[in-house]
Amino acid sequence: MRHHGSVAQFTGVLLAAGAGRRYGKPKVLVEGWLDIAVGALRDGGCSDVVLVLGAAEVAAPPGVTAITAPQWHDGLSASVRAGLAEADRMGADYAVVHVIDTPDVGPDVVARVLGRVTDTGLARAYFGDRPGHPVVIARRHWPEVLARISGDNGAGTYLRGRHDVEIVDCGDLAGGHDVDEPG
C-alpha cells in the first residue's frame, strides 16, 4: 500500500455518465443530486473526487475533477474504467466508487464504509441484504476489476465472487435505492 505521509488517499469516483433513459434525462442534471453525491464523498472522508461524465456535460463543483468516459454509451464498465484511470493518475490508494442516483446516501454512509476497510482492501455498503454504494476498492485490486468488467457490469462482477469483501450495513442510515424514475 502506498501512503502519502501515513494517511491513505481515498479518492471518490462518482459515476454520472449515463443517459438516464428511464428517468427521462441524465441523472447528473437532476437538481441537487450532484452536490449531494459530491458532499457525501468529500464529507465522508475522500480527499479527492473524480466526476465521470458522458451523456451530459456539467460544470464540476469546486475542487472536483471532471472527466468524460469516452465509451460511456457502452455502459457502466466504461465509467468505472475511466474513473479508476483518473484515480490512478491522482495517486489514490483506494477508489470509493459511488453513483449519482442514490440521493439519500450521505456522508455518514461513506464514513462508515471507509472506517470498515480492512487489510483485504474491499468494502461495500449494504442496505439490509441488498448491496449498494459506495464500494471501496484498494489499488491492488484495480487490474483484476478492470479485467473483469464489461458492458453494464461494473465492479460488482468482481466483488460477487469473493469472500473477503467487508460488508458494511448502512440500512439504519439510508435506503440506498437507485432512483430510476422521476417522482
Side-chain angles (χ1 to χ4, degrees), residues 34-115:
L34 178 57
D35 290 335
I36 290 168
V38 167
L41 288 166
R42 190 175 273 145
D43 299 341
C46 294
S47 47
D48 298 295
V49 176
V50 175
L51 171 62
V52 184
L53 298 170
E57 292 297 318
V58 299
V64 171
T65 301
I67 61 168
T68 299
Q71 279 85 39
W72 65 267
H73 43 78
D74 292 348
L76 188 63
S77 62
S79 296
V80 173
R81 204 174 292 287
L84 288 182
E86 187 63 27
D88 182 45
R89 278 192 288 277
M90 296 168 97
D93 298 305
Y94 297 88
V96 182
V97 181
H98 191 37
V99 291
I100 192 79
D101 60 354
T102 54
D104 74 333
V105 170
D108 49 352
V109 171
V110 176
R112 181 181 288 176
V113 177
L114 264 53

Side-chain angles (χ1 to χ4, degrees), residues 109-177:
V109 171
V110 176
R112 181 181 288 176
V113 177
L114 264 53
R116 292 275 299 280
V117 173
T118 64
D119 292 343
T120 69
L122 296 168
R124 179 165 207 174
Y126 268 69
F127 301 92
D129 56 1
R130 197 171 40 77
H133 289 86
V135 177
V136 181
I137 306 169
R139 171 183 281 274
R140 70 178 178 279
H141 293 284
W142 298 355
E144 205 176 332
V145 168
L146 292 170
R148 298 271 296 275
I149 62 177
S150 65
D152 255 336
N153 296 312
T157 312
Y158 174 71
L159 299 174
R160 268 192 292 281
R162 303 185 64 96
H163 303 290
D164 57 352
V165 179
E166 184 71 22
I167 290 171
V168 185
D169 187 20
C170 299
D172 59 319
L173 300 176
H177 287 281

